[in-house]
Amino acid sequence: MDSQIQAYLRFAASCQRSTERIGPFLGTFSPHNDNPFLNYAIPDDVATPSSADVAALITAYERRSRIPRLEYIAHLAPAVEGALLTAGFVVEGRLELMTCIPGSEQILPLPPDIELVVPVTDAELLATVAVQNEAYGAPPPDSDAVARLRASLAAGQIAVLARVTATGEPVGAGVCSVPDSGMTEIAGIGVRVPFRRRGVAGALTTGLVREAFDVGVSVAFLMAAHEAEGRIYIRAGFSPMGEILHISRPHT
């Protein structure tokens, strides 16, 4: 399963961003956003990079004014971490990798004044991007954000928006990456500060899982950044299965 997930991560990155083969690494780059979580490399399974390979990786990211960074299932390429640490990389975190299959999902309730919708209109698409950006401390969406999200949805990505039922005020949102081989990643679940600790994140997770299973996904996975997130996802029916290493090289 972990090899399948890592293969899916390479596929999804190729759908969403530009890529470059750099020795045993697949570098992925967002031309529109320097957010480190949208610019990272994934090593080949069982990769054994040389110092020249790592230097080329650093150059490829710095040439694009991006932080050299990787996200991957560490035990599939155990030689990579040491080579990166030698080159000045620093571990950001080891995130819990969790999966959910049809039949194991649990329906988590929404607060009574909140509703979930699949965004369709330009206003709903803009609200989806804006609320995620606000939740993650990113700048407001640019003028092309709606067109980019619409194109991603047309390619198969799934999005769910939480909003106040009475007013339509956006509360939170999340997405599933384009499914492939029965897999999808649930990501970008963000809730605005005034609406946190009310169960919105759990309900968004439930909504995304149901939308994914409805289109034939057989394995949904995600990465829990910390223990509190992990508890939410366990309540939604996810099970821990490993960890994802986040590692980057700070600006010098």
Side-chain angles (χ1 to χ4, degrees), residues 7-19 26 28-29 31 148 151-152 155-157 177-180:
Y8 174 83
L9 290 171
R10 296 187 189 99
F11 160 80
S14 300
C15 289
Q16 299 165 357
R17 302 184 287 277
S18 61
T19 62
L26 177 68
T28 79
F29 310 91
R148 289 198 298 271
S152 295
Q157 189 182 69
S177 54
V178 177
D180 182 67

Side-chain angles (χ1 to χ4, degrees), residues 131-149:
V131 77
Q132 286 181 301
N133 286 12
E134 180 180 334
Y136 285 97
D142 62 29
S143 58
D144 296 325
V146 168
R148 289 198 298 271
L149 179 53

